[in-house]
Amino acid sequence: MLRWVGDERRGAIFLIRKRNSDLKAITAAMFRMRWRLLVILTTALGAALRLVGLNRFPPGLHFDEAVYGLMALEIFHGKLPVFFSAYTGREPLYMYVMAGVFR
């Protein structure tokens, strides 16, 4: 990059070449700033889209979520199965974790 530089003592103007390392540092800083701005804007847009109407949607629990909660309550009250045959059969690992949350 070329730029004009004046020397007031001599009254002369020189055309000098700016160093490449300065340009690389400036370009890298601008890239980082743009990247951070993009991440912040994307996060803000995602949060806005998820939070709008949060009190209205979804109107209730999905069937599977309710079933997992009922099975976790059974584990919490003392039933310790290896396999749940009710509700089309399920493995209990997730329900055991949920039962630990109920404590």
Side-chain angles (χ1 to χ4, degrees):
M1 174 182 217
L2 298 174
R3 66 180 177 140
W4 291 99
V5 175
D7 186 1
E8 291 110 18
R9 290 178 290 165
R10 296 185 186 156
I13 297 178
F14 300 97
L15 183 65
I16 65 168
R17 185 173 296 274
K18 194 166 183 172
R19 293 191 331 200
N20 253 351
S21 62
D22 293 342
L23 290 176
K24 287 181 183 178
I26 291 170
T27 305
M30 288 175 60
F31 178 76
R32 283 192 305 270
M33 186 176 7
R34 286 182 184 163
W35 180 251
R36 287 179 185 151
L37 182 63
L38 179 66
V39 168
I40 290 169
L41 289 176
T42 304
T43 304
L45 178 64
L49 291 174
R50 289 183 181 270
L51 297 176
V52 169
L54 186 62
N55 60 345
R56 293 178 290 157
F57 302 108
L61 291 177
H62 188 267
F63 172 74
D64 286 342
E65 294 169 343
V67 168
Y68 289 148
L70 290 173
M71 291 179 184
L73 279 174
E74 288 180 16
I75 293 171
F76 182 71
H77 291 299
K79 185 177 177 185
L80 302 174
V82 177
F83 183 78
F84 282 98
S85 59
Y87 305 107
T88 66
R90 303 197 188 264
E91 294 80 15
L93 178 62
Y94 182 68
M95 280 64 85
Y96 277 103
V97 171
M98 284 183 61
V101 172
F102 286 140
R103 291 184 183 187

